[in-house]
Amino acid sequence: MPEIFINYRTGDGEQAAATLDNALRARFGDGHVYRASRSIAPGDAFDHDLVNNVRRSSVLLALIGDHWLDKPTLGHDDDWVTKEILEAFRHDIRIIPVLIGRRTERPAKRDLPDALLWLTDCQTLRYDHQTDERDLKHIGDQLADLVPALADADRTTTEPEAPAATDNSTGDLKNSYATQTGPVTGSTFHIGPAESRHSNHTVHQTGTGSNYVAGDSHGGIRQGFGATPPAEGGE
């Protein structure tokens, strides 16, 4: 279902509409965004398709550029930009004016037909091509916050990264001990040569990783980790 309906006027906001369409589909999926010039299949009755998809949407983005008010048919029954906005309004669908460019201002009530006067009270968003990456992210974030279905479909949501494996190393130690706790993968740690008159030591190594210890080790060194490997010939 197209949760987002992009409403725009040809000759005023079609380029911004295409950019928003591509960015929002990349984030939420093709099925969640409707833009007439892409979404209406050849041979379909466009009037029925437009009205039906406005009613099915959760939010209508009304793109307003510098020349949006210049259309003499604004507010008339045969103006499709007006029809789509009023259809969304009658069905209690959220309408968000999106101001295109840095200089576009919210339409003043004195410039709007009576049927659209309420549009000046709607909180707006802004899209400018010079800050498109930031603006597109902000618009997408706002939509994800407002529409649960879009939050569920949001492809920018990522799982937290697993903690990195521990990789420690020590320098030369003299008559000292080295201890490590925490998850260990691969080889563990290496203790450099210990300066000692005693050369008797024992190294006992087991487990699925590798370990090297050198230096004075009275009584031997034992370390085990991981599962016990099967005996030779086992499966």
Side-chain angles (χ1 to χ4, degrees):
M1 186 173 85
E3 301 288 344
I4 306 167
F5 188 102
I6 300 178
N7 167 273
Y8 65 97
R9 185 176 297 288
T10 301
D12 180 66
E14 67 265 35
Q15 184 57 54
T19 301
L20 278 165
D21 182 27
N22 290 334
L24 295 174
R25 285 190 296 126
R27 179 163 179 172
F28 301 115
D30 289 352
H32 287 298
V33 187
Y34 182 95
R35 179 172 61 96
S37 59
R38 174 186 59 81
S39 302
I40 301 176
D44 284 355
F46 74 89
D47 53 350
H48 172 78
D49 200 273
L50 286 167
V51 171
N52 187 47
N53 280 284
V54 168
R55 293 172 180 173
R56 295 170 61 200
S57 63
S58 296
V59 59
L60 180 144
L61 300 181
L63 274 57
I64 299 175
D66 288 341
H67 303 290
W68 190 80
L69 289 169
D70 295 345
K71 190 76 170 178
T73 57
L74 180 67
H76 294 194
D77 291 340
D78 59 350
D79 179 63
W80 271 103
V81 169
T82 304
K83 279 186 179 182
E84 293 165 6
I85 293 174
L86 291 179
E87 190 69 22
F89 181 73
R90 283 192 290 265
H91 287 82
D92 294 323
I93 292 164
R94 182 182 295 272
I95 299 166
I96 304 176
V98 179
L99 307 179
I100 303 172
R102 290 177 295 174
R103 298 181 179 179
T104 302
E105 300 293 337
R106 185 199 306 263
K109 287 187 177 182
R110 65 178 179 274
D111 298 324
L112 289 172
D114 291 345
L116 295 175
L117 288 177
W118 52 268
L119 195 61
T120 62
D121 297 326
C122 295
Q123 182 66 295
T124 63
L125 292 172
R126 185 175 297 277
Y127 168 74
D128 180 55
H129 73 277
Q130 295 185 17
T131 55
D132 61 347
E133 185 175 350
R134 182 192 68 189
D135 293 348
L136 292 170
K137 182 181 184 305
H138 179 65
I139 292 171
D141 290 346
Q142 293 295 307
L143 292 173
D145 287 343
L146 292 168
V147 183
L150 294 177
D152 292 340
D154 195 346
R155 295 174 179 174
T156 65
T157 304
T158 56
E159 295 294 330
E161 295 184 1
T166 304
D167 182 12
N168 289 339
S169 141
T170 62
D172 291 348
L173 299 176
K174 296 182 180 181
N175 300 322
S176 301
Y177 299 92
T179 303
Q180 175 176 326
T181 60
V184 179
T185 59
S187 59
T188 57
F189 53 83
H190 170 79
I191 301 177
E195 295 181 8
S196 173
R197 293 182 295 106
H198 302 284
S199 59
N200 294 328
H201 65 276
T202 302
V203 176
H204 180 75
Q205 183 174 341
T206 184
T208 57
S210 63
N211 183 44
Y212 173 76
V213 179
D216 191 3
S217 54
H218 296 290
I221 295 175
R222 296 178 180 274
Q223 180 180 2
F225 54 92
T228 303
E232 290 186 10
E235 296 183 359

